[in-house]
Amino acid sequence: MTYSAAENRYESMPYRRVGRSGLKLPAISLGLWHNFGDDKPFEVQRAILRRAFDLGVTHFDLANNYGPPYGAAETNFGRHFKDDFKPYRDELVISSKAGYDMWPGPYGNFGSRKYLLASLDQSLARMGLDYVDIFYSHRPDPETPMEETMGALDQAVRSGKALYAGISSYTPEQTLEAARILKELGTPLLIHQPSYSMLNRWTENGSPNLYEALEQVGAGCIAFSPLAQGMLTGRYLNGVPADSRAAQDKSLDQGMITDETLGRIRGLNAIAEGRGQTLAQMAVAWILREQGKGSSVTSALVGASSVRQLEDSLAAINNLEFTDDELQAIDEFAVESDINLWKQK
């Protein structure tokens, strides 16, 4: 059946400006890290993407090695784009990344010019796109000069294969350096994509912290894993379900779900119930809360394994306000839980 987007798709989703750029992103974006590889039925993927766009989600986030297997999420998205979203290309923000292992040998990993630009060409071919809106350096490379990695992002933009440049999992100090180099090259840093959740608060630490660094350079922030790889969905309140990420060893080690962490999750769940929200909704709303000048997130990047799960997360926009008492109560449980898989060694 031919897809026609809902006419009211822009009536409920708030959109936030990305730093000091001209671009806006939906408060909640959809990530295709999980559930869009060849292990997920194609029709389920289609239903999630269609429903997301119908509810105002205009940003779809991918990376070269999302799957399984590597590349499958982009290939599958390319089919969905051709079948459903091509008429809406100018209403969409589509991003991809390179920086983690993608193909064998010395040229398929980290941050060299050779890897990043070759990967971008491959991503465009898999998705059937002329350009991506945002192209990211997926992680810092400790051995490649920052000038080379940022130079590759600059070339991607100047070539027209990307509209904006982004970085992911860079420290505040690395972010300032990356932004400085990009500014000198004439391609401003648009956005940073860090992991951030109520159980993973590294972005708030340091002087400057990440948000202060981004405010300084005029870049935005899109937080990934706001539900702590599913720990903040309520699925683990009574143990580890057999079909969960932890049980299947998909980016969440069962060793992370300690009795102490479960106690924190249950405490947060009780606060969410008092707000009339699910735990997942409160977790997303908390990510999007106003933290004061220099400490704000542009968009929360969520995943979804079903339309129902997607709708539950998106309902967070119905209650984004927190009282001081609620924030204080949350802080008692929302503490570092050593779950940052992307922390630099």
Side-chain angles (χ1 to χ4, degrees):
M1 182 177 178
T2 302
Y3 171 65
S4 181
E7 293 185 359
N8 64 346
R9 59 189 176 276
Y10 294 116
E11 293 182 5
S12 59
M13 176 65 69
Y15 298 87
R16 297 181 169 192
R17 188 168 301 281
V18 186
R20 292 194 287 272
S21 77
L23 185 68
K24 291 183 178 181
L25 290 181
I28 302 176
S29 301
L30 181 63
L32 279 64
W33 177 21
H34 295 288
N35 304 307
F36 289 86
D38 291 346
D39 58 342
K40 195 74 172 179
F42 193 75
E43 291 303 316
V44 174
Q45 299 176 25
R46 170 174 285 159
I48 294 169
L49 289 168
R50 287 181 173 184
R51 186 60 175 153
F53 189 54
D54 284 347
L55 292 174
V57 177
T58 54
H59 177 30
F60 298 145
D61 179 79
L62 299 102
N64 56 357
N65 64 354
Y66 288 175
Y70 286 177
E74 289 185 331
T75 298
N76 289 333
F77 178 77
R79 292 175 60 194
H80 295 297
F81 176 78
K82 180 181 178 181
D83 292 345
D84 291 339
F85 297 104
K86 194 168 185 177
Y88 305 102
R89 177 64 183 97
D90 293 334
E91 297 182 43
L92 292 171
V93 172
I94 301 169
S95 60
S96 191
K97 320 176 197 71
Y100 284 93
D101 62 300
M102 180 59 189
W103 61 81
Y107 315 124
N109 205 346
F110 278 110
S112 70
R113 179 187 298 271
K114 180 171 179 62
Y115 172 45
L116 294 183
L117 296 179
S119 180
L120 176 56
D121 284 342
Q122 292 181 19
S123 291
L124 293 175
R126 282 190 289 268
M127 292 188 285
L129 300 176
D130 295 324
Y131 68 94
V132 291
D133 295 273
I134 308 169
F135 184 54
Y136 287 89
S137 166
H138 207 165
R139 62 170 169 173
D141 184 342
E143 297 183 352
T144 298
M146 184 85 76
E147 288 80 3
E148 179 174 343
T149 301
M150 295 306 110
L153 295 184
D154 172 68
Q155 183 172 334
V157 172
R158 291 184 182 278
S159 69
K161 295 177 182 179
L163 300 186
Y164 298 96
I167 58 176
S168 180
S169 298
Y170 280 52
T171 66
E173 294 76 19
Q174 290 169 331
T175 297
L176 291 173
E177 178 67 2
R180 181 192 67 78
I181 295 169
L182 284 169
K183 183 178 180 180
E184 289 180 355
L185 292 170
T187 297
L189 175 65
L190 175 79
I191 196 166
H192 187 296
Q193 186 175 131
S195 62
Y196 183 48
S197 73
M198 292 192 290
L199 300 178
N200 177 20
R201 301 181 66 166
W202 72 273
T203 54
E204 301 173 14
N205 301 328
S207 183
N209 67 29
L210 182 62
Y211 304 112
E212 292 165 343
L214 293 173
E215 172 67 19
Q216 182 177 327
V217 301
C221 178
I222 178 168
F224 76 89
S225 201
L227 304 182
Q229 293 97 265
M231 293 171 68
L232 295 172
T233 62
R235 297 202 72 197
Y236 300 95
L237 292 173
N238 299 304
V240 180
D243 62 344
S244 64
R245 285 195 199 179
Q248 299 176 27
D249 195 27
K250 290 185 175 180
S251 79
L252 180 58
D253 188 330
Q254 288 197 47
M256 294 180 178
I257 308 175
T258 64
D259 289 341
E260 185 177 4
T261 300
L262 283 174
R264 294 169 185 162
I265 294 171
R266 290 170 182 141
L268 292 168
N269 186 64
I271 298 171
E273 289 178 345
R275 286 171 50 84
Q277 289 181 310
T278 66
L279 177 56
Q281 289 165 358
M282 186 181 78
V284 172
W286 182 86
I287 289 289
L288 296 169
R289 74 197 185 284
E290 289 296 329
Q291 302 180 53
K293 183 176 175 62
S295 298
S296 297
V297 170
T298 310
S299 183
L301 185 60
V302 304
S305 60
S306 67
V307 169
R308 180 178 178 180
Q309 187 181 68
L310 171 75
E311 291 174 342
D312 181 70
S313 294
L314 294 184
I317 63 174
N318 297 327
N319 185 9
L320 296 176
E321 302 298 324
F322 290 87
T323 67
D324 290 340
D325 287 343
E326 285 175 331
L327 290 174
Q328 185 175 353
I330 288 171
D331 279 341
E332 292 184 25
F333 302 104
V335 298
E336 273 296 331
S337 300
D338 195 26
I339 64 168
N340 185 3
L341 303 177
W342 307 271
K343 183 178 180 180
Q344 296 177 43
K345 306 300 183 183

